Amino acid sequence: MPYILKNNKIDKRYEEKFFEIVRENLPVEKIELFNGLLDIKTEIIKEFLSDIIQTGGKLEKNGFDEILSLIFSIRRHKEKILNTVSVETLNNAFGLLADSKKSAEIRTGRFLEAFSYEDVIVKRDIALELLHFYEPGKNVLWTSWVYRQDNGTGCLPYTADFLKRTWDGNPYIMPFSIREMKDEIDYLYELSGKNGLNLKRPYGADILLSYMYSDYVYKMVYAESKSLSIGVPEGFTLMKKLLGIEKLEMRGMEEAG
């Protein structure tokens, strides 16, 4: 099966128009703001995982509360996780993610096995988001709002639809490995650079994908009801929520001051 993005033909006219629209609506100053907030998120997660190792897995539950609050896709599960998963299990499972000597695939697999929660999508989202921000130069962001391979949803296929790729009848859905998802994100950087959208690694793709998802949410709600769309947060607010950084702006200002 083909990748969603890579190795599929693009209609050049749609490609150019797509990036022209993104450049108009995602100004450089906003990209820089997001980069700064995502740097802060990385610092928090690195410190958290380092504390687990340094304390020998003795962190209290309030530390896990803060970290889980940074992951948009699992927030409605947060209370249930904290109420049903023991603090010993939390320390053990999260500690496995900090083992930089192991590959992301091995760490994710061990986390899924050790973390006693029934929803595997939730567990996977936790592992892959933390691995991305713990080692942002090595691991890409791949939570369920980016792409769910079990049902083919997320902002990655939504982005592909905008680029009007030719389709030969074969399904886009495929059981991506982490390596294959990294290839997709690398290609997104390549396309963006070629079309004048300056996305800096390691967070540029995160910012673009969150922009596309917020666009998707607004259009879906607006299609259902113009009046309901009034209650949808404006694009940049929704992007901050998706990236788990909406509460970090005050911290960023305090550090800058």
Side-chain angles (χ1 to χ4, degrees), residues 46-66:
K46 283 184 174 181
E47 183 178 351
F48 164 74
L49 290 179
S50 295
D51 285 348
I52 290 180
I53 300 303
Q54 290 173 8
T55 62
K58 301 295 184 185
L59 291 191
E60 301 295 328
K61 277 201 174 179
N62 62 333
F64 297 95
D65 189 333
E66 178 188 10

Side-chain angles (χ1 to χ4, degrees), residues 143-156:
T143 46
S144 50
W145 64 264
V146 173
Y147 179 63
R148 274 188 64 163
Q149 72 270 49
D150 61 328
N151 61 14
T153 60
C155 61
L156 197 61

Side-chain angles (χ1 to χ4, degrees), residues 10-188:
I10 304 174
D11 185 315
K12 189 66 178 174
R13 295 166 300 171
Y14 289 110
E15 177 188 346
E16 291 173 352
K17 187 63 179 175
F18 171 82
F19 282 103
E20 178 187 329
I21 292 169
V22 175
R23 290 196 310 269
E24 288 175 359
N25 290 285
L26 195 56
V28 172
E29 59 270 21
K30 288 291 185 183
I31 293 175
E32 289 305 314
L33 170 65
F34 279 90
N35 275 318
L37 294 175
L38 290 166
D39 272 331
I40 293 172
K41 181 170 176 174
T42 281
E43 290 170 13
I44 293 170
I45 288 174
K46 283 184 174 181
E47 183 178 351
F48 164 74
L49 290 179
S50 295
D51 285 348
I52 290 180
I53 300 303
Q54 290 173 8
T55 62
K58 301 295 184 185
L59 291 191
E60 301 295 328
K61 277 201 174 179
N62 62 333
F64 297 95
D65 189 333
E66 178 188 10
I67 291 303
L68 292 174
S69 296
L70 296 176
I71 306 174
F72 170 80
S73 60
I74 63 99
R75 285 180 185 173
R76 64 190 178 90
H77 292 266
K78 186 185 74 167
E79 278 197 37
K80 186 176 180 182
I81 289 170
L82 294 174
N83 289 334
T84 60
V85 181
S86 71
V87 69
E88 291 79 16
T89 295
L90 290 169
N91 273 281
N92 177 49
F94 281 87
L96 294 170
L97 297 177
D99 186 359
S100 297
K101 295 179 181 178
K102 300 291 189 300
S103 68
E105 289 85 352
I106 290 174
R107 282 183 276 176
T108 301
R110 290 182 176 177
F111 179 87
L112 295 179
E113 185 177 353
F115 196 74
S116 52
Y117 192 71
E118 71 276 9
D119 193 322
V120 70
I121 298 295
V122 168
K123 296 197 293 184
R124 190 176 169 283
D125 278 2
I126 293 170
L128 292 179
E129 179 138 353
L130 261 66
L131 283 173
H132 172 55
F133 286 101
Y134 184 55
E135 298 168 331
K138 287 175 60 178
N139 304 313
V140 298
L141 181 64
W142 183 13
T143 46
S144 50
W145 64 264
V146 173
Y147 179 63
R148 274 188 64 163
Q149 72 270 49
D150 61 328
N151 61 14
T153 60
C155 61
L156 197 61
Y158 180 64
T159 301
D161 288 342
F162 265 89
L163 294 170
K164 299 293 183 183
R165 293 168 181 278
T166 57
W167 188 53
D168 61 6
N170 292 319
Y172 286 138
I173 302 171
M174 62 179 294
F176 281 145
S177 66
I178 291 175
R179 180 189 60 77
E180 288 166 335
M181 180 55 81
K182 185 176 184 301
D183 287 345
E184 288 281 75
I185 298 303
D186 285 345
Y187 186 61
L188 196 55

Side-chain angles (χ1 to χ4, degrees), residues 225-244:
S225 168
K226 291 181 181 179
S227 59
L228 282 177
S229 67
I230 294 171
V232 177
E234 59 89 22
F236 292 118
T237 298
L238 186 50
M239 287 171 66
K240 289 173 191 171
K241 287 181 179 295
L242 284 166
L243 295 169

